[in-house]
Amino acid sequence: MTAGPLARFKVLDLTRVRAGPTAVRYLADWGADCIKVEMPPSAGEMDMGGPRHGPDFQNLHRNKRSITLNLKEPDGKAVFMKLVEQADVVVENYRADVKFRLGIDYESLKKVNPKIILGSISGFGQDGPYAERAGFDQIAQGMGGLMMVTGNPGEGPMRAGIAVADVGAGLHCAIGILIALLERETSGQGQWVSSSLLQAMISMCDFQAARWTIAKDVPGQAGNNHPTSIPTGVFKTKDGYINIAASGGHIYKRFCEAIKSPELYTDERFSTDKGRAKNRDALNDEINKRVAQYGSADLVEKLNKAGVPAGPIYKMDEMFADPQVKHLKMAHPVHSPKLGDIELIGQAINMSRTPFEMKTATPEQGEHTDAVLKEAGFDDAAIADFRKRGVI
């Protein structure tokens, strides 16, 4: 195993549930020394977002070390500030006001280490009318516009099947932290980086959101139809369903030829982009009639050979069995002392010289407390005293 491109950075991870742990995972996977700070068992269990040995927690906290530390105790805060002196980054996703109550806000951290970078994730932003509200992925999906462009028309709002806002906020925060680390090389100063579930959700709505800001067009629900590219959607084959993306004149022509239906290209209702948009439902019906004679796998192969984007619609087990997914190594093996040999989800970034590594499974609670505190300068007697008093 190599040291990893981020090995020179030390990260103190105060995060929980999903958005914050996602941000830190990017840093950990490329070698940063990420120290997960958890409450001692004697101080009560933190809201971890699921069982420690469940798939979700294991996938979020790989490649980290774990210490226990009670930040509500004066000595616990003092130990934390000692760690801050030697750290590069602190990441938290408390409700916006909590860090100030604990005395670990950016200005407080900066006094201890002017080079420190604080990465913060909240539900709605660090200030403003909703700053004190607790964040939750589905709430952000609704407020960020996603649920009213997801699902079938007339069936009411629909959430996405994954934690888009949480993961998006984590990704945005990680990018911000990396930018701040690069900027620090010039300025020599740290800074406060923040993102929120609401901001991430709006950002990820992207072109749908821009339809309103630029054209004052309020996009609606289109179900499995792409909102602007036609015909693009889900079509029923002889043995299931596939996605077909045949928008644009040249691709649409190739599609019609591939399914041996040139009449769909010459039909005046469907011969232009404008006509296909106006008569979308009729066109979808005609396509479904024709693709019903094909098996899914055969049709996907046929269309891709013809230069028409198409793909199967997988359940999770089918997805991981796909040869391209296997080639991309999106299921990465790691050995867990508790769970044995398991597979976690790989990163979606490929780098020619410095790929990410799955070095260690998620640690047990406080597994590295003694080692980390000794690195910070505390001796065995001090550590034993902290443990006796519930500080660690």
Side-chain angles (χ1 to χ4, degrees):
M1 292 183 181
T2 60
L6 301 182
R8 66 188 182 277
F9 299 117
K10 181 170 287 187
V11 179
L12 301 179
D13 178 8
L14 297 173
T15 68
R16 52 195 182 144
V17 191
R18 184 181 317 284
T22 297
V24 178
R25 181 174 61 189
Y26 284 98
L27 309 177
D29 279 2
W30 270 276
D33 180 13
C34 294
I35 300 169
K36 179 170 174 53
V37 181
E38 306 185 61
M39 290 289 281
S42 60
E45 189 173 339
M46 288 178 63
D47 178 11
M48 300 191 303
R52 187 175 204 93
H53 299 108
D56 196 8
F57 195 90
Q58 290 292 309
N59 192 52
L60 283 168
H61 297 287
R62 77 274 187 113
N63 287 336
K64 301 178 184 180
R65 296 195 287 171
S66 171
I67 68 169
T68 53
L69 189 61
N70 189 347
L71 296 177
K72 296 178 181 179
E73 289 286 338
D75 281 349
K77 180 182 170 183
V79 170
F80 180 74
M81 288 304 190
K82 183 71 173 176
L83 296 176
V84 169
E85 290 178 12
Q86 304 169 12
D88 298 281
V89 180
V90 174
V91 188
E92 58 86 19
N93 63 333
Y94 298 124
R95 201 174 59 224
D97 61 319
V98 172
K99 69 179 88 36
F100 295 96
R101 292 209 310 268
L102 292 173
I104 55 172
D105 55 279
Y106 175 64
E107 291 300 323
S108 298
L109 300 179
K110 181 182 176 183
K111 290 175 183 176
V112 174
N113 180 354
K115 293 186 175 183
I116 199 71
I117 292 161
L118 173 62
S120 295
I121 300 175
S122 61
F124 304 97
Q126 295 298 316
D127 47 35
Y130 302 156
E132 303 307 319
R133 292 187 182 183
F136 192 82
D137 177 84
Q138 187 159 336
I139 306 302
Q141 286 194 31
M143 293 179 67
L146 178 67
M147 291 176 68
M148 288 306 292
V149 295
T150 304
N152 290 316
E155 293 186 3
M158 179 66 68
R159 70 181 293 275
I162 59 173
V164 189
D166 275 342
V167 174
L171 175 58
H172 282 80
C173 186
I175 292 171
I177 290 168
L178 293 171
I179 293 170
L181 287 169
L182 285 171
E183 191 278 340
R184 192 179 70 174
E185 294 179 0
T186 301
S187 68
Q189 300 178 55
Q191 60 182 301
W192 188 11
V193 176
S194 67
S195 186
S196 70
L197 274 62
L198 181 59
Q199 287 171 289
M201 193 69 270
I202 295 169
S203 174
M204 294 176 74
C205 280
D206 197 50
F207 78 96
Q208 292 281 52
R211 288 171 67 181
W212 165 252
T213 61
I214 295 172
K216 303 309 176 192
D217 174 23
V218 179
Q221 294 166 297
N224 286 319
N225 289 321
H226 189 280
T228 58
S229 298
I230 301 165
T232 295
V234 174
F235 297 93
K236 194 175 190 315
T237 65
K238 183 165 56 178
D239 55 3
Y241 296 88
I242 66 170
N243 278 312
I244 300 173
S247 62
H250 295 299
I251 294 179
Y252 179 64
K253 183 179 181 181
R254 291 200 293 267
F255 168 69
C256 295
E257 291 170 348
I259 63 169
K260 300 178 181 178
S261 300
E263 70 280 3
L264 291 183
Y265 183 73
T266 56
D267 189 316
E268 62 180 14
R269 295 174 298 168
F270 314 135
S271 59
T272 64
D273 288 340
K274 187 176 292 185
R276 290 189 289 274
K278 179 181 178 182
N279 299 290
R280 166 175 240 165
D281 290 343
L283 176 57
N284 284 350
D285 288 343
E286 293 296 331
I287 292 173
N288 274 315
K289 290 176 186 176
R290 288 159 175 78
V291 302
Q293 64 183 298
Y294 296 95
S296 295
D298 290 342
L299 185 56
V300 166
E301 184 73 17
K302 178 186 288 289
L303 292 178
N304 277 287
K305 281 184 177 179
V308 179
I313 300 173
Y314 288 144
K315 298 192 290 284
M316 287 295 172
D317 57 338
E318 296 169 327
M319 179 265 286
F320 281 110
D322 184 276
Q324 184 65 26
V325 176
K326 286 180 175 293
H327 173 76
L328 294 171
K329 299 178 180 177
M330 289 305 295
H332 262 260
V334 70
H335 180 76
S336 165
K338 180 77 173 181
L339 301 173
D341 293 326
I342 58 175
E343 290 183 319
L344 302 175
I345 309 307
Q347 288 284 7
I349 300 170
N350 300 315
M351 300 183 71
S352 61
R353 289 190 300 102
T354 54
F356 89 97
E357 291 187 71
M358 201 78 76
K359 293 183 177 181
T360 59
T362 292
E364 294 303 303
Q365 184 181 25
E367 181 178 334
H368 304 98
T369 301
D370 288 21
V372 171
L373 265 58
K374 286 179 181 178
E375 291 168 10
F378 297 98
D379 60 22
D380 288 337
I383 294 170
D385 179 60
F386 288 149
R387 184 165 281 113
K388 182 179 179 181
R389 294 188 289 116
V391 174
I392 61 174

